[in-house]
Amino acid sequence: MIHKKLGILFVFLILFLGSNCASYLEKREFPSKQSTHTEQEPSDEKNLDGLENKKVVEDKIEKRLFSYKVMIRLSLPEKSNENFKEKLLQYINSKKGYILFENLSKVQFKIPADLLRETIKFISQQGKVIEEEIVSEDLTLVTTETKIKLENSIQAQTRLREILKKASNVKEVLEVEKELTRVTEEIETLKSRMKLNINKIDYSEFTVNFFVEYKAVEEFPKLGPIGWLFYLPYRAIRFLIFWE
């Protein structure tokens, strides 16, 4: 009789444990393939942020923007050093350019970019061009990006000023003023950068190095009457043998 009761109790115990285990398995959540894929999507978007920002800047581009630097080394005819420099300075002033640096043999200046070829031609006509170099720099992306940042900062400045008017306590006022100061400084920095880039695009920079090429003059020796009798035939024979 006791063995029978123990058997019945054992059966009930097995059934009880089985039902609890099934319930636990039903309640447990396992990650599916779909959920794993969803967690990876933000990582893909993060990788594309740089490309999307670059695309936004490129979409704003209306035309390519270049700056030019020109270096010319010029040989001048004799006694034309000062005349050339005076002519060049007059030309720069007449074309609304301006001087960056000048000395006895060098002039560095800026001139409107649309006069680049005309200026090169004018300088080349004044003497013999020994060396000429033109270097260009593409400022399209950096100028467009700076312009976008400047516009966004000005909008942020306007919003902060509106928030400052509605600030209800000293803490809010101080926080808004701190952020407003930072944005204002950023705007001034961007304006300076923008002004510098526009100047590089609107004005081409020239560096002209010039010198006078003197021809060597052979001095005749001081000879007496007998010396000339020997020296002149020597010069004639040398002329027939050596052509300089």
Side-chain angles (χ1 to χ4, degrees), residues 45-61:
E45 291 178 359
K46 186 177 179 180
N47 292 335
L48 291 174
D49 280 348
L51 295 174
E52 289 176 355
N53 290 338
K54 186 176 180 181
K55 188 176 185 302
V56 168
V57 174
E58 289 177 346
D59 289 343
K60 297 274 186 178
I61 294 173

Side-chain angles (χ1 to χ4, degrees), residues 9-27:
L9 184 61
F10 182 76
V11 171
F12 275 110
L13 183 61
I14 291 173
L15 292 173
F16 176 77
L17 291 174
S19 63
N20 284 342
C21 185
S23 175
Y24 172 77
L25 292 172
E26 288 176 359
K27 290 179 180 179

Side-chain angles (χ1 to χ4, degrees), residues 107-119:
V107 177
Q108 191 172 4
F109 62 94
K110 285 203 166 190
I111 206 154
D114 56 345
L115 299 176
L116 175 71
R117 295 296 173 187
E118 178 186 324
T119 305

Side-chain angles (χ1 to χ4, degrees), residues 172-184:
E172 288 182 0
V173 170
L174 292 175
E175 289 178 353
V176 176
E177 284 183 344
K178 182 179 178 181
E179 183 64 16
L180 186 59
T181 300
R182 186 192 68 79
V183 172
T184 303

